[in-house]
Amino acid sequence: MTTTLEEFLKPKFGALSVGDISQKGKARIAPIYDVKGKQIKLFLAKEPVLRTPWQVSSFDGGERCSLDIRLTPELEQLGTKIDTEVRGFIEKNSDRFFKNPPKDDWYKSIIKESSKEGYEGTLRTKVTIKEDKASFKCWDQNKNPMTVEQIKAIQWPTTGFACQVSLKGVYFQSNSYGPMLEVDMVMIKPEDEVCPFGKDDFEFS
């Protein structure tokens, strides 16, 4: 069952917990659970109102990509709740996850602060886009399913989107760890292309 952002942020939703680490390929990941011991799926928005300042891309040109979503007050609350509860749980139970207590700078927040003053931060989410397959389902504004080639052609900075994510777990590396939000489904709505000039802008005396 998928939870709305509003429901997740209510106190009655309860605290998050972190399960045991398992090896998945090269990655070491521990699942995140709700109070009932279930993994969490969230609607970040049911209407195409979310935005990203960047193209979906990977750091090293690989298949694993970042989709950083501009923060709204609600998304900032979401990131703060996840950060506070996940980090608090792991620090309280650090012997389950580390041989020695983790250093303060090892934790990687799910919120990415902007390096430019006056610009919003973003919420970090992940997708995988392979040559012939994407890890998430995508529909256009007419609710038609999109192919991988169409997904690759999306101009993300000029596109609004609705989004469902999974709070997948916590990744662990030798000197860093942090929570992961994995995109499950997206519906996009490109901006209408409107001429920025008025009808009289090109009249000269």
Side-chain angles (χ1 to χ4, degrees):
M1 182 173 161
T2 304
T3 303
T4 65
L5 189 54
E6 293 77 13
E7 290 169 341
F8 181 80
L9 293 174
K10 290 178 180 177
K12 68 177 184 180
F13 185 84
L16 305 177
S17 61
V18 182
D20 295 330
I21 295 175
S22 61
Q23 192 81 30
K24 297 185 179 180
K26 296 181 180 179
R28 297 171 65 241
I29 298 173
I32 296 173
Y33 298 118
D34 65 12
V35 290
K36 296 179 180 179
K38 296 181 179 180
Q39 291 203 273
I40 301 160
K41 291 182 179 290
L42 288 166
F43 285 117
L44 299 186
K46 291 186 177 182
E47 298 295 328
V49 295
L50 301 176
R51 301 299 294 266
T52 177
W54 324 113
Q55 278 297 107
V56 171
S57 61
S58 64
F59 177 75
D60 58 1
E63 298 170 341
R64 191 71 169 154
C65 301
S66 296
L67 172 54
D68 294 336
I69 304 172
R70 285 190 189 278
L71 286 179
T72 62
E74 294 77 17
L75 291 182
E76 189 164 12
Q77 289 178 54
L78 168 70
T80 299
K81 176 180 171 70
I82 293 171
D83 279 342
T84 301
E85 295 189 9
V86 167
R87 185 174 188 174
F89 185 94
I90 289 175
E91 289 181 347
K92 187 177 179 180
N93 301 276
S94 62
D95 57 327
R96 281 181 51 198
F97 304 100
F98 299 97
K99 291 181 179 179
N100 299 304
K103 297 180 180 179
D104 287 344
D105 62 356
W106 285 11
Y107 185 79
K108 303 303 178 187
S109 172
I110 205 161
I111 291 175
K112 184 178 180 181
E113 300 292 346
S114 174
S115 58
K116 294 184 179 180
E117 188 176 348
Y119 286 78
E120 307 102 327
T122 54
L123 184 74
R124 303 174 193 260
T125 72
K126 290 291 185 180
V127 298
T128 300
I129 302 177
K130 299 182 179 181
E131 191 67 31
D132 59 349
K133 186 170 66 173
S135 62
F136 61 101
K137 295 179 180 179
C138 188
W139 291 268
D140 65 19
Q141 64 268 39
N142 298 314
K143 299 184 180 179
N144 297 313
M146 299 180 68
T147 66
V148 175
E149 289 306 314
Q150 289 172 323
I151 292 171
K152 290 178 180 179
I154 295 171
Q155 297 300 306
W156 288 98
T158 56
T159 298
F161 56 97
C163 187
Q164 177 188 302
V165 298
S166 292
L167 187 50
K168 205 74 174 180
V170 182
Y171 72 86
F172 290 87
Q173 297 177 340
S174 58
N175 58 0
S176 66
Y177 69 102
M180 301 183 300
L181 278 172
E182 189 86 15
V183 174
D184 296 326
M185 296 189 287
V186 171
M187 185 182 75
I188 68 163
K189 184 181 179 183
E191 278 186 351
D192 292 328
E193 294 185 6
V194 178
C195 178
F197 301 105
K199 64 178 181 179
D200 300 325
D201 286 346
F202 293 102
E203 293 185 2
F204 300 94
S205 55

